[in-house]
Structure formats: structure tokens, C-alpha cells
Amino acid sequence: MTSSAPARSTATRAPTRGSIQVERLTCSIGAELGGVSLADAARADALFAEIKALLLKHRVLFLRDQDITRADHVALARRWGELEDHPIAGSDPDHPGLVRIYRDLSSPPEHYENSYHCDATWREAPPMACVLRCVETPEVGGDTIWVNMVEAYNRLPEHIKQRIAGLRARHSLEATFGGTMPMEKRRALRASYPDAEHPVVRTHPETGEKILFVNAFTTHFVNFHTPDNVRVGQDFAPGASHLLSYLISQAAIPELQVRFRWKKNSVAIWDNRCTQHYAVQDYWPAVRKMERATIIGEAPC
Ligand code: SIN
């Protein structure tokens, strides 16, 4: 099958202007950095500035052998901004903001994450970025996939771009994480974390790029209907759910993705505004332990 996407250069390993070695991992998204310690980057302005610029360029960065302390992990993430905890996954008691994503025999595999999503878009101001470190990984399996959602938007047919311009959508914690809870707990979750509404196409606040911004937390469009296209009582949502499914399915296109094989002390840093990710759920009953610092973002527009 031919592609209408513009041709790009192949992956290269070349020094940046600074000290960091950068190897692009696919033509669309992701680079592995070498010759850098994140503990140093947490303290050195110039090194951090280089990493920040590389993140905007590659959208997800990978580093190996980062045997850093939890304090350094938090300190690095804090250079981007304040951190947030997660209402369901607990945080390290000594390091608030460092969310534990631990999977072992006590977690039923059907509760593992296995859908393409941006983190916490059910918040009014979803996270801008995350720093995830691997503490323990299965011998095989447990990879994570990231997707370039700027490219997902760019590749949409023109008539779809026109149809979704100005559309807004609802994002829900209750409809997703709440799905495994008894009804009472689910209602309480919704009361504490009400649904959020975001544009279907957001603009990256730093690069100005347009981003397709619907994911597994998105339940429906809120302004698809107009007095002209609603037929109350017959077909309440003509075409809306089909269009939403189509948009959500764009994240599964392999040409937009990079897949990362974890090792202990590997770190991934991603821009949560313009990527989605999927933690592959193929390793149960093996243990997988990850720790994530989640940096508070701004309301999408
Ligand atoms: C996440 O969804 O933020 C965690 C991804 C992972 O565990 O690989």
C-alpha cells in the first residue's frame, strides 16, 4: 500500500549541538538518547534545556541505564512543572507525585491498561508530560507503544478535518477506570472527578501544531448535533459514534508508532499533549513495576 505522507530521512545516530547522542527510532516518533544522566539533567540548566527541546522534536525520548534515585526522578520531572498524583494508582509514600504502576499476581489481568490513551484527559487540565522509569520488567513482554497524534491529525482526509473542526468531546474517568467498580463507588468517583470537555483538535501550546485529541477516555462529542441534524426519538446521534470510533482508531496505525522494549532503569519521557500510548498487556503473571512522574498541564485549546 502506498502512503501519501511526506518522505522523511532514515534513523541516524549523530551528536546534537550539545553533549547528547540522539538516535531516531522510527520515521515518525521517538528517539533514544545516549551519553546523558537524568540525575545530572535534574541539576544542570543547559542539559535540561537540551532534553526539553529534544522532547518537543521527537515527542517521546528513551534512555537506558538510568539508575537514579526516586528523588532525582521527581527532581527531573519538576523541572517541567508541578506533579500530580492519580486517584486510583497510589504514589510512593516518600515521594508524592511519583505514581506506582505495579502489576503482579494480585492485579487481575483484565484490569491492566490496554488501550491507546493520553494520560488523564478526564482532567480539565490534563498532564503536559510524564517521566516513566522501569523498576522491574518481565523477562519478555510488557512493551509500551507511543503514537504521534500530530501526524495522526495531518494524515486525516480533508473532509474529516473540516467535519471535526470546532467539535468538542467529553472525557471520563468514571466511564473507564470506574467500569470495574460497583455502582456506588463509581458514582463517588464521578462526583470527585467529573467528566471534562476538550476540543477534538487541540493546538500544541509550544509548537503550534494541530493534534487529534480523542482517546480511550473520550465518551462522545458534545456538539455534534445541531437543530438541523438531530432527529429526536429515531436516531439521536447520526454518524457521531462512527466518527468518534474512526478518530480513536487512528492511534493504532503502525506508521505513527514506536514500540519500546523495557529493561530495568530504562526511562521514557513523553509529551502527553501530542502522543498517545499503550502498555501491552501480554506478560501476566509476570511482575512489571513502573514509576511515573506526571507533570500538570494546561486546559487544551
Ligand atoms: C501509563 O499508561 O502512563 C503507563 C505506561 C506503561 O506502564 O508502560
Side-chain angles (χ1 to χ4, degrees), residues 21-301:
Q21 298 287 313
V22 181
E23 181 180 9
R24 292 175 60 207
L25 297 185
T26 75
C27 295
S28 173
I29 178 172
E32 186 163 334
L33 307 187
V36 59
S37 150
L38 290 179
D40 293 345
R43 290 177 189 89
D45 290 347
L47 192 53
F48 174 71
E50 238 185 294
I51 291 176
K52 197 173 169 196
L54 287 168
L55 182 61
L56 287 179
K57 181 169 177 191
H58 299 287
R59 311 189 197 282
V60 55
L61 304 175
F62 303 105
L63 298 97
R64 299 283 186 192
D65 303 320
Q66 298 294 316
D67 189 7
I68 59 175
T69 63
R70 291 190 167 95
D72 282 338
H73 184 167
V74 167
L76 173 77
R78 284 290 313 278
R79 298 212 58 144
W80 273 277
E82 296 291 323
L83 306 187
E84 66 185 34
D85 290 312
H86 192 277
I88 293 163
S91 290
D92 185 276
D94 298 324
H95 301 91
L98 196 57
V99 174
R100 288 166 154 176
I101 306 172
Y102 289 4
R103 303 289 181 235
D104 54 30
L105 276 177
S106 69
S107 20
E110 65 273 19
H111 291 187
Y112 287 17
E113 53 291 276
N114 64 343
S115 54
Y116 289 101
H117 65 283
C118 316
D119 283 326
T121 58
W122 38 268
R123 291 191 192 274
E124 284 300 325
M128 55 133 343
C130 297
V131 181
L132 183 71
R133 187 172 72 94
C134 177
V135 176
E136 186 174 343
T137 187
E139 221 172 274
V140 63
D143 299 356
T144 307
I145 297 166
W146 279 266
V147 192
N148 179 346
M149 297 309 294
V150 171
E151 197 60 18
Y153 174 78
N154 289 340
R155 287 181 176 220
L156 289 174
E158 207 48 49
H159 71 279
I160 298 285
K161 287 182 180 168
Q162 281 169 21
R163 183 66 190 89
I164 65 178
L167 276 188
R168 299 181 65 79
R170 190 72 52 83
H171 295 239
S172 176
L173 178 65
E174 182 246 334
T176 47
F177 277 82
T180 58
M181 296 177 178
M183 209 55 213
E184 225 165 87
K185 221 174 151 193
R186 192 168 167 160
R187 286 201 191 100
L189 185 69
R190 188 181 179 125
S192 305
Y193 299 93
D195 293 353
E197 193 185 301
H198 300 304
V200 168
V201 181
R202 76 176 288 188
T203 303
H204 196 292
E206 292 182 79
T207 65
E209 296 161 305
K210 285 188 171 181
I211 301 160
L212 180 59
F213 199 63
V214 287
N215 69 87
F217 290 117
T218 315
T219 55
H220 62 282
F221 299 127
V222 296
N223 60 342
F224 186 86
H225 305 94
T226 66
D228 296 336
N229 73 2
V230 143
R231 296 185 302 153
V232 178
Q234 293 189 42
D235 185 355
F236 185 66
S241 56
H242 180 73
L243 177 59
L244 181 58
S245 301
Y246 167 77
L247 295 175
I248 288 176
S249 74
Q250 301 304 299
I253 296 174
E255 285 80 1
L256 307 179
Q257 300 181 341
V258 61
R259 181 167 176 148
F260 188 62
R261 170 92 187 94
W262 292 99
K263 292 185 181 143
K264 184 177 160 74
N265 289 326
S266 300
V267 170
I269 306 172
W270 66 92
D271 187 332
N272 194 57
R273 300 163 293 194
C274 60
T275 62
Q276 292 190 26
H277 55 278
Y278 182 120
V280 179
Q281 176 196 312
D282 58 355
Y283 54 90
W284 194 91
V287 173
R288 181 178 186 268
K289 291 187 176 172
M290 315 293 282
E291 293 178 357
R292 187 185 77 198
T294 313
I295 302 139
I296 296 174
E298 57 197 75
C301 56

